[in-house]
Amino acid sequence: QVQLVESGGGLVQAGGSLRLSCAASGRTASSYAMGWFRQAPGKDREFVTSISSSGRSTVYADSVKGRFTISRDNAKNMVYMQMNSLNPEDTAIYYCAADLSILSKSWDYWGQGTQVTVSS
C-alpha cells in the first residue's frame, strides 16, 4: 500500500509559478513510478507528467512540456512538480498517483488532490 498526500496548490496569476509536492508513505514507495494528473471543471482527468522510480525517465503531456518539471527525492519519499508560465487553462485539481509503470493506463494509488487556480 502507498499513501499519497499532495500540497502546494493555491491561487496564482497568469505567468506565475507554483511547486506541488506529493508525500508518499509506505515501505516500498520509492519503488513506484509517480505521476501527476489534473482535472479541470467539467472535464475528464488527464495525464500531466510521470517519473520512473529511479528518476531517470520522465514523460510529459504536450500541453505542459517546457513549462512543468517533475522530480523526486527517494530519500524523502517526495515527488515534486514545478509549474512555470502558468495560464488559466492550467486551473484544475492536481492529483499525485503511483504505479509500477511510468506509462501505466491505470494507476494504482491516488492522493486526494490539491487545487490550482490561475487567474488571468
Side-chain angles (χ1 to χ4, degrees), residues 89-109:
E89 290 70 37
D90 295 315
T91 294
I93 299 174
Y94 283 74
Y95 298 91
C96 179
D99 196 271
L100 292 176
S101 171
I102 190 176
L103 297 174
S104 177
K105 299 299 183 184
S106 179
W107 289 67
D108 285 337
Y109 302 102

Side-chain angles (χ1 to χ4, degrees), residues 1 3 12 36-37 51 56-57 62 65-67 71 79 85 89 107 111 115:
Q1 284 278 1
Q3 293 79 41
V12 63
W36 287 97
F37 293 74
I51 188 167
R56 287 193 287 266
S57 298
D62 288 344
K65 278 181 183 176
R67 299 189 300 124
S71 62
V79 178
S85 301
E89 290 70 37
W107 289 67
Q115 176 72 47

Side-chain angles (χ1 to χ4, degrees), residues 11-100:
L11 174 64
V12 63
Q13 289 188 333
S17 298
L18 278 176
R19 189 177 82 152
L20 302 185
S21 299
C22 175
S25 60
R27 195 170 52 182
T28 60
S30 61
S31 300
Y32 284 79
M34 301 295 291
W36 287 97
F37 293 74
R38 66 186 182 186
Q39 187 167 19
K43 295 187 176 181
D44 293 334
R45 185 163 55 190
E46 65 174 359
F47 170 82
V48 177
T49 181
S50 59
I51 188 167
S52 62
S53 57
S54 67
R56 287 193 287 266
S57 298
T58 57
V59 181
Y60 292 92
D62 288 344
S63 59
V64 305
K65 278 181 183 176
R67 299 189 300 124
F68 291 11
T69 302
I70 190 171
S71 62
R72 68 189 297 163
D73 183 340
N74 283 341
K76 297 180 179 179
N77 278 349
M78 295 292 296
V79 178
Y80 307 99
M81 182 168 66
Q82 178 67 41
M83 305 186 295
N84 299 327
S85 301
L86 286 161
N87 58 64
E89 290 70 37
D90 295 315
T91 294
I93 299 174
Y94 283 74
Y95 298 91
C96 179
D99 196 271
L100 292 176

